[in-house]
Amino acid sequence: MKDSKTVEGKTTAIVAYLTIVGALIALSMNSEPKHDFARFHTRQAFGLHLLFISFGILSNNWGNLYSFFGLFLCYSILWVYGFSGVLSNKKLEVPVIGSYFQKWFTFIQ
């Protein structure tokens, strides 16, 4: 008998939020069997990690360390929001950009 609090693919979704490498590992973990919950959160996490990398590149070229701290704070808040969705077994899109992640990363099955 399954625990009512367990969602199929939750482990894969948790791994997805652990760095960009975790998102890539989650892609292979969700190849068979495919879980909708894991796919949703893998897309969200992959987008967040790419956002963080682009923030780093942008602030490096900008040369303003304080802007990086603001962008890092933004990333951290969005990451906590997404990760809390996994822990609470909900499909919570990251505010403002989560719907775009679902559209842009359709290659994540």
Side-chain angles (χ1 to χ4, degrees), residues 32-106:
E32 193 61 41
K34 295 183 185 295
H35 301 293
D36 188 51
F37 184 78
R39 180 179 339 130
F40 176 85
H41 281 289
T42 302
R43 288 177 180 168
Q44 295 291 299
F46 189 72
L48 283 175
H49 296 311
L50 289 180
L51 182 71
F52 177 69
I53 291 169
S54 63
F55 281 170
I57 291 171
L58 182 67
S59 66
N60 186 31
N61 290 334
W62 231 343
N64 187 348
L65 185 62
Y66 295 112
S67 65
F68 177 73
F69 289 131
L71 295 174
F72 182 73
L73 180 66
C74 174
Y75 163 79
S76 298
I77 291 169
L78 294 177
W79 185 91
V80 167
Y81 185 83
F83 193 70
S84 66
V86 172
L87 296 179
S88 63
N89 300 328
K90 296 178 183 173
K91 289 184 181 179
L92 298 174
E93 284 186 348
V94 175
V96 181
I97 53 177
S99 60
Y100 294 111
F101 292 161
Q102 295 301 314
K103 291 177 194 172
W104 295 338
F105 304 124
T106 55

